C-alpha cells in the first residue's frame, strides 16, 4: 500500500505522498543506536536463524507475548539460572505466529510487516498456517551473501551509523572495521553510565576504567582524568557524541571536597543512595563541562526504570522489556546545569525522555530558549506512529523545527533500520502535509522541513 | 443521524459504519456498575417520575447546573440538614430544560439525547417550550409495563450485569433475584473499601463485618478470615470480581506485627493517617493474594478525591458531583504488589484511574509486560467521546488490544446503559476505521478488534 | 488564503467558514493584556521603527533567535550592564529576516504573517532579499496618522481593552485617557504581586503602597486596609478585575497571629522562603475574600518560573523569553480557598496555567462543579493553534462551554491583537465545525457556542 499511514483526506494524502517522495531516498543518518559493531567487523557475519534475527533480540516482541502469559523460556530467551530455554527455533517461530494477533495496531506489528515486505519481499500476513513457509523463506535469504551486514549497509543506503559503547570498551571492533578498509562509516558513542552511577558493579568498573585508560584511579581528580582520556580516545576513533542515562534529570554542582568524599565512599563500598544520586547529578555537570571543551555532543536519556520486574531480571537478566517509564521534570532539575552551561556556544545537549507531558510543558520551552539544547526524537514506547505525531504536535510550535535533533532509530535490530526511518519519514510527511494543505506553511517551507526532519537535523545536531 | 460521531472523511465514515454494524447488536456485557439490585428483585419496580429517573441520580447533570449557580435544593436533591428540597418534579424538569444549553458538546448532553431517542423515541431537542410535553411523554412511558427493569433487561439485550456491593452486604436482593426464577444474570461485586480504609466509620464497619461473616474479629488474623469468608460468600452468589478504590496506588507489604499493631490502633480509634495509608496499601497486597487464590478478578480505581466540597457534603452527602481527579503514579507505587504477584498465572488486576498522563507513560507499558494486568476503560469524566479516543490512542500501540478490559458502563442510571455502550462502540468503530483505511491494520484485524472491544474483552477479562 | 487553518475535509471546512463568518466581525473584547496605557493617553503616540514595533517588545521572537545562537545584543535588546546593544534597526530587521525560517510552523510565524497582511497589507513572505523593502513599507505606514493607537483602536473594532497595572500605580495614564474625552474604553487591572510576594523588592513596594494609598503600613491590618483602598481606587477608574501570579496554586488560611508575624518578619527582611510561600498562599485567600466583597473578578496565573536563565537576566532583565513552565496541581492546592469561597455567589475566579495535564484532570472537573470558577484560555506557549485545539478538546466535555472565560490576547504587542483574536476565532470555528458536521451538536448550538467563544464569554466572565 503505497500511501499507507497517510491521512485519508485526499488533498493531505497527495501532499504527504509528494513530501515523502522528496525524502524517501535520502541516505540514512543513524546517530544513536545499539547495533553490535561486530556485525561490521566480520565481513562474513551470519545473523543465524529467523528467530535469532527477529525474535530473541527484540524486547518489543517478547514483552507483549509475555504479557499474555507466554514464558520467555518458551521464546528461547536464555536463562541465567541454567534452566533450559527452548532451542527449537521453528517451534518458537510457530508460537510467535500463533499469537501474531497480539501485535495488531502496534508499532512492532507494523515494523515486522514492513521489514518483511521491504527487506525480505515477504508480503503475506503472518499466521499459524504459513509460519513454517515464511520461516524457510527468511532462513534461505539470511544464508545468502546479500544478507551480510556490510551488503545490507549499502542496500539500506546508510551514511553513518553510531553504536553505543561503554566507557571502558577497547573499541577493538571499531578499530577492526576501520583497518579492514571497508568504506562504511561506523562510529562509537561514549557511554559512561557504568563508571558514573555508583551501584553494585561500580567499583569493578572503576578498576576497569583505570586499566583501560592506563591511569591509576585513587581519587576524584584521577577519575576525571581517566574519563577525559577515554573521551579523547573515543573521539580519535570517530565518536562525535556521548550518551548518558539517569532515572531523573537531577543535576547538582558539588564542590570539590564533597565530590571527593562521595567518590572515596564509593570506592569503599560505603556510598549511600543519596550519595549516588548526587554524584550522578554532579557528573552530568562534569560531562557537560567536558563536552563544552571537546565538542562531543551530549545525549541524555531520562526516566526509564530499568529492570522493573525482579523475578524476570533474576531469571533472564536485563533488557527483557521490563524497563518502565516514570514521570520526569526538567525545569527545576536541569537548572544547575543550565545556569552554568545553558548559554555556552560549543556545548550541545540532546534530551530524550519517556514522559510526554514534559514535551510541551518543559522540553519545548527550554529548547526554544537555551542555545545548547536540542530535542531528541520519541524514545522507547513512543517511537510509534502516534508517538511521533504527538511529539511533533507538542514541540514544533514552541521549540520550532530547528531545535529538534531529527531521527534516531535507537535499535539493536539492524535489519529494521530502514523500516524505522521509513515510518518516521512517513509520519513527518503526513504531519507536514496537514500543515501545508491547511495553510500553516507553504510548499517551500514544507519541503525544507521534510528534508530537515529526514536528514539535515540529525547530521547537524550530531556534528556528523 | 445514522452515522453520527464518525469521521466526516467519507472512506473512514464508511468503514466505521461497517465496523459498527458488525458489533452494534452484540449482547451487552456489564461487568462493572452501580445499578441497584432492587430494580431486578422487584418484578414491578417503578422508576418514579422522569426527574427520579434522569435527574436526581445523575451527578453528571446536577454538578454542571450547580457550577452555573443553580442550587441542588432547587434540583430536588435531598438535604441531610432537614432543609426542604424542591419536590415539584415538573418545576425541576422545567429548570433543567431552561438550562439545557449548558450541556452542549458534553457527554451528558449526548447520552440524554441518545437515550431519549433510543429508549423513549423522543427526538425533539429539550428546551423551555417543550419541557412539559416531553415530561408527560416520558412519564407515560415509565408507567407502562415495558419500562419495568426486567423488561428493559431483555430489550437492552444485556447478557450479564454486575452490581457493586459492600463487603458487609447480605446480598439479599441478589438472592431474591435468583430465587425468583427470572432468567437475567445479575451478579454482585465484592467492594471492601469501607472495611479496609481506616477512617471515621471503619470501626462500625468492622463490627458489621464480624456480624455478617459470623466471625469474632479481635485481631488482624480474624479480620482476614472474615474477609475471606465474605469473598467466598460473594463468589457463591455469582461474583467474579472485587473492586477497590484508593486515592493513590501506593502498595506496601507490612510484616505481620506491623499489620497487627496498626489494626489494633484502628480498633482503638488511634490510627494515624499514615497508619491508614499504609494499611490501605498493605490490604491491596492482601486482596491481590486472595484473588490469586480464589480467582476473583481484582479491580482498582485510583485517584478520585471523594467529596471535595465540604459545604456540599455537609448539606447533601456523597456522590454530588464533587469527586475530583488527582495526579496518579503507578510505576513506583504498584511495585511492591507487582514484585510479589506481577507474574502470577491466576491473578488478574484491572486498573482504572483519572490521570490520563499515566496511560501512555505507565499503564500501557506495565500492562504490555506484566501478565496479571489489564487496563480498564476510561472512567468518570473520561467516559466521553474524546476521552475514549485519547485512551485508545494512548494505550493500544504500547499495551496492544488484548491487555484491555473492554467496556464498563459504570453507571447508576440503568436506562442509560445501552446508550453508553453505543457511544463506546461508535467510538471504537471510528477509531478502528482510521486504522483500517490508513493501512495500519487490515479488514480481518479491524473486525476482530471491533468485536473484542465491544464484547469479547469484557467477558474474558472478568471471567464471565 | 480565505479558509486558512480550517480542516481540509470539505464538509468541515465549509461549516468552519460559516461559523467563522458569523463571528469574525464581532467587536474585540480584551479583558487581559499588557498594552501600555500611554499608547492611548498620547493622541500622537508614535510606535517608532518596525523593529521597535515588532521585534524588541516580542519575546516570542527573540527567544527563538536566541535559541539558535543569535545574541539579544545583536537584536537590539537593551542591556543592564551598559554594554551597547545594536541600534541600527535596519541591520536588526535584516538579521531577523535572514533567520525567518526558524519560525516555520510556529505561532509567531503565523501571527507576524497574518499581522503584516491584515494590518499592513504586506503579503510577501519575509526573506533576506525583501527585508529592506518590507522595512521601508512598514516604516512608511507607521509614520501615517492611520497608525496612531487611537485610530487603530477604531479600525480594530475594539470594544474594551484592559491593561495590567501594579497595585501602586497612580493610574495617571488611565485618568488622562478618560479626561481626554476620547471614546475608547481602556481600563486598568489590579495586579498586587509586587506587594504580596515577599522577595527582594517587597519592602520598597510596601513603602510605595503606603505612600500611594495614603496609609501608614506598620502591621498586617494596615497593610490589608491599604490594599483594599487601592482596589477601591482601581475600581473607581473602571477596573473590573485583579490579576495574580504565583509559581504554584498553593493556598493556606493563616490565623491572624501567624499572618502578622510573617508580615513583621518581612518588614525586617527576615522572612524565610517558607514564610514567603505561605504568605503568598494566604494572600490568595485574602484577595478572594476581597473579591467576594467588591466583585472584582480574580485572575490567577500559575506555573511560570520567571527569569529561568540567570546570565540573561543579569544582562537584559525580565521578560526575555526565559519564563519556563512548571508542573501544576490544583485539586489539593486550591482546596483551602475553595473550602472557604468555592460556593460563593459573588466571587469569580479565572484560572490560567502552563501545565496542559491539569486541563482535563483538575481544571475542567473543578470548573464543572464550583460556581466561582471559570477557565482562562491557553496562556504563554499554549496560545497557539494546537494549544487552543488541545484546550477545547481537554475542557469542554467536562467543564462545558459556559465555565470558560472566552479569549484573552494577553499581549504587549498592540497591533497583533486583531490577529490573535482572528486565530482564536478560526480555531474555535474549526473545532465547532467538527462537532457540528459529526453530529455532536446541531447548527443552533454550534452558532451559539461560536458567539460565546468569540465574544459573550469574555464579556460576561469579566463583568464588562
Amino acid at each position: 500500500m503505497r500511501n499507507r499511514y497517510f491521512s485519508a483526506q485526499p488533498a493531505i494524502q497527495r501532499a504527504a505522498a509528494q513530501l515523502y517522495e522528496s525524502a524517501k531516498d535520502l541516505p540514512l543518518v543513524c546517530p544513536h543506536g545499539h547495533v553490535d559493531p561486530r556485525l561490521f567487523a566480520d565481513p562474513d557475519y551470519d545473523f543465524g536463524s529467523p528467530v535469532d534475527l527477529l525474535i530473541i533480540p527484540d524486547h518489543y516482541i517478547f514483552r507483549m507475548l509475555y504479557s499474555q502469559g507466554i514464558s520467555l523460556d518458551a521464546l528461547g530467551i536464555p536463562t541465567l539460572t541454567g534452566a533450559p530455554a527452548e532451542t527449537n527455533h521453528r517451534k518458537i517461530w510457530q508460537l510467535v505466529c500463533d499469537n501474531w494477533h497480539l501485535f495488531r495496531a502496534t508499532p512492532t506489528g507494523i515494523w515486522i510487516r514492513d521489514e518483511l515486505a521491504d527487506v525480505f519481499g515477504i508480503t503475506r500476513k503472518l499466521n499459524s498456517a504459513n509460519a513454517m513457509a515464511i520461516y524457510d523463506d527468511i532462513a534461505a535469504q539470511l544464508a545468502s551473501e546479500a544478507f551480510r551486514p556490510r551488503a545490507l549497509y549499502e542496500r539500506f543506503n546508510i551514511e553513518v551509523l553510531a553504536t553505543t559503547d561503554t566507557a571502558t570498551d577497547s573499541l577493538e571492533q571499531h578499530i577492526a572495521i576501520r583497518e579492514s578498509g571497508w568504506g562504511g562509516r561506523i562510529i562509537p558513542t561514549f557511554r559512561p553510565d557504568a563508571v558514573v552511577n555508583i551501584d553494585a558493579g561500580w567499583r569493578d568498573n572503576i578498576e576497569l576504567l583505570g586499566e583501560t585508560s592506563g591511569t591509576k584511579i585513587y581519587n576524584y581528580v584521577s577519575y576525571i582524568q581517566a574519563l577525559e582520556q577515554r573521551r579523547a580516545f573515543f573521539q580519535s576513533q570517530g565518536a562525535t557524541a556521548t550518551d548518558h542515562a539517569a532515572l531523573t534529570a537531577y543535576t547538582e554542582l558539588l564542590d570539590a571536597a564533597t565530590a571527593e568524599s562521595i567518590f572515596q565512599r564509593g570506592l569503599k563500598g560505603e556510598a549511600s543512595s543519596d550519595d549516588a544520586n548526587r554524584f550522578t547529578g554532579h557528573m552530568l555537570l562534569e560531562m557537560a563541562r567536558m563536552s563544552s571543551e571537546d565538542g562531543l555532543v551530549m545525549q541524555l536519556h531520562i526516566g526509564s526504570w530499568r529492570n522493573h520486574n525482579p523475578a524476570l531480571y533474576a531469571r533472564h537478566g536485563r533488557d527483557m522489556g521490563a524497563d518502565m517509564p516514570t514521570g520526569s521534570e526538567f525545569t527545576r532539575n536541569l537548572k544547575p546545569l543550565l545556569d552554568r552551561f545553558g548559554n555556552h556556544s560549543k556545548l550541545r545537549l540532546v534530551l530524550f525522555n519517556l514522559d510526554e507531558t514534559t514535551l510541551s510543558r518543559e522540553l519545548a520551552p527550554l529548547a526554544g530558549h537555551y542555545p545548547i539544547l536540542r530535542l531528541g526524537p520519541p524514545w522507547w514506547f513512543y517511537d510509534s506512529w502516534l508517538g511521533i505525531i504527538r511529539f511533533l504536535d507538542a514541540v514544533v510550535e514552541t521549540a520550532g523545527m530547528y531545535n529538534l535533533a531529527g531521527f534516531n532509530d535507537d535499535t539493536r535490530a539492524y535489519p529494521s533500520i530502514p523500516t524505522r526511518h521509513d515510518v518516521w519519514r512517513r509520519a513527518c510527511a503526513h504531519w507536514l502535509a496537514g500543515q501545508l494543505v491547511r495553510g500553516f506553511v507553504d510548499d517551500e517551507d514544507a519541503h525544507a522541513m521534510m528534508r530537515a526532519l529526514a536528514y539535515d537535523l540529525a547530521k547537524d545536531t550530531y556534528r556528523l
Side-chain angles (χ1 to χ4, degrees), chain A:
Chain A
M1 189 173 161
R2 183 180 170 78
N3 286 342
R4 64 182 182 270
Y5 316 147
F6 298 151
S7 172
Q9 207 288 316
I12 296 180
Q13 188 174 112
R14 273 193 306 274
Q18 283 168 16
L19 287 162
Y20 171 70
E21 191 64 32
S22 76
K24 80 178 170 56
D25 295 326
L26 288 168
L28 306 188
V29 175
C30 308
H32 175 71
H34 298 275
V35 172
D36 189 332
R38 277 181 299 177
L39 270 65
F40 306 101
D42 175 3
D44 301 317
Y45 187 91
D46 187 329
F47 286 111
S49 82
V51 166
D52 286 323
L53 181 77
L54 295 169
I55 309 302
I56 291 175
D58 191 339
H59 53 181
Y60 285 95
I61 288 189
F62 56 72
R63 74 171 183 98
M64 183 68 88
L65 294 158
Y66 186 75
S67 79
Q68 288 281 314
I70 296 167
S71 78
L72 297 194
D73 296 37
L75 293 164
I77 311 303
T79 66
L80 303 175
T81 60
E86 181 59 54
T87 54
N88 182 333
H89 283 198
R90 289 180 171 275
K91 201 168 155 193
I92 294 169
W93 185 259
Q94 186 68 49
L95 179 63
V96 171
C97 292
D98 290 347
N99 289 282
W100 197 245
H101 65 283
L102 299 179
F103 297 97
R104 285 170 173 152
T106 67
T108 307
I110 288 164
W111 289 329
I112 295 284
R113 181 181 63 198
D114 287 3
E115 181 181 338
L116 288 178
D118 296 345
V119 179
F120 294 92
I122 296 169
T123 55
R124 286 161 294 165
K125 184 175 166 183
L126 294 180
N127 63 35
S128 294
N130 66 23
M132 286 304 100
I134 289 177
Y135 184 93
D136 290 336
D137 191 345
I138 298 171
Q141 295 192 51
L142 286 179
S144 71
E145 282 305 305
F147 279 79
R148 300 291 80 80
R150 291 183 177 186
L152 290 176
Y153 183 96
E154 305 301 329
R155 180 174 159 201
F156 292 169
N157 195 22
I158 295 175
E159 183 170 315
V160 55
L161 184 148
T163 63
T164 300
D165 313 86
T166 62
T168 51
D169 194 293
S170 66
L171 302 185
E172 60 181 334
Q173 304 291 338
H174 286 87
I175 293 166
I177 294 166
R178 294 204 308 141
E179 289 182 348
S180 76
W182 174 60
R185 185 173 175 201
I186 310 295
I187 59 175
T189 301
F190 180 76
R191 177 137 179 186
D193 295 348
V195 292
V196 161
N197 300 328
I198 305 180
D199 55 19
W202 184 75
R203 281 194 288 176
D204 292 344
N205 291 319
I206 294 298
E207 193 160 335
L208 199 54
L209 175 65
E211 285 165 25
T212 336
S213 65
T215 311
K216 182 168 164 47
I217 302 179
Y218 60 97
N219 63 3
Y220 181 72
V221 170
S222 53
Y223 163 70
I224 292 296
Q225 285 167 345
L227 286 169
E228 289 176 336
Q229 191 276 350
R230 293 307 295 158
R231 290 174 68 106
F233 177 67
F234 270 67
Q235 207 162 11
S236 76
Q237 297 304 319
T240 71
T242 69
D243 186 26
H244 311 265
L247 186 57
T248 74
Y250 178 76
T251 59
E252 178 187 4
L253 183 65
L254 300 177
D255 58 46
T258 307
E260 180 65 48
S261 66
I262 293 179
F263 186 81
Q264 293 298 342
R265 283 199 291 280
L267 284 186
K268 289 180 210 143
E270 296 170 357
S272 67
S273 79
D274 184 58
D275 281 344
N277 289 338
R278 294 183 71 194
F279 196 75
T280 295
H282 170 75
M283 287 305 297
L284 291 177
L285 269 160
E286 274 287 20
M287 291 292 164
R289 193 264 306 158
M290 293 182 200
S291 276
S292 77
E293 293 172 6
D294 63 22
L296 288 175
V297 174
M298 183 173 176
Q299 298 175 91
L300 188 51
H301 285 81
I302 295 297
S304 179
W305 185 312
R306 310 279 176 177
N307 313 309
H308 191 268
N309 187 334
L312 205 80
Y313 181 64
R315 187 172 186 85
H316 295 285
R318 53 180 292 172
D319 296 327
M320 290 295 124
D323 293 350
M324 292 298 155
T326 59
S328 296
E329 201 283 335
F330 291 91
T331 303
R332 183 179 307 269
N333 279 330
L334 277 190
K335 197 163 188 304
L337 189 154
L338 293 170
D339 282 355
R340 204 163 173 91
F341 296 109
N343 304 292
H344 198 282
S345 62
K346 192 169 177 185
L347 180 60
R348 176 159 297 154
L349 175 57
V350 186
L351 297 174
F352 300 80
N353 93 109
L354 297 174
D355 180 352
E356 292 179 297
T357 73
T358 65
L359 293 174
S360 69
R361 188 180 62 217
E362 300 172 39
L363 294 181
L366 290 166
H369 166 69
Y370 284 103
I372 67 164
L373 296 181
R374 296 278 168 96
L375 302 185
W379 173 41
W380 191 196
F381 295 113
Y382 305 105
D383 53 356
S384 61
W385 183 271
L386 291 172
I388 295 168
I389 300 303
R390 286 197 299 261
F391 173 82
L392 295 171
D393 279 349
V395 304
V396 172
E397 288 187 326
T398 295
M401 182 59 52
Y402 298 91
N403 288 307
L404 308 187
F407 183 62
N408 291 176
D409 48 71
D410 195 8
T411 187
R412 282 166 180 75
Y414 179 56
S416 76
I417 285 178
T419 297
R420 287 171 193 250
H421 284 259
D422 188 67
V423 170
W424 167 260
R425 289 172 179 186
R426 286 179 181 272
C428 292
H430 164 78
W431 189 84
L432 288 167
Q435 293 274 317
L436 171 58
V437 171
R438 295 171 58 191
F440 292 100
V441 298
D442 65 13
D443 203 62
E444 176 194 21
D445 287 355
H447 277 83
M449 292 162 86
M450 184 69 221
R451 186 184 159 92
L453 287 164
Y455 180 77
D456 297 331
L457 286 169
K459 214 169 154 175
D460 175 68
T461 297
Y462 286 89
R463 298 172 174 158
L464 290 165

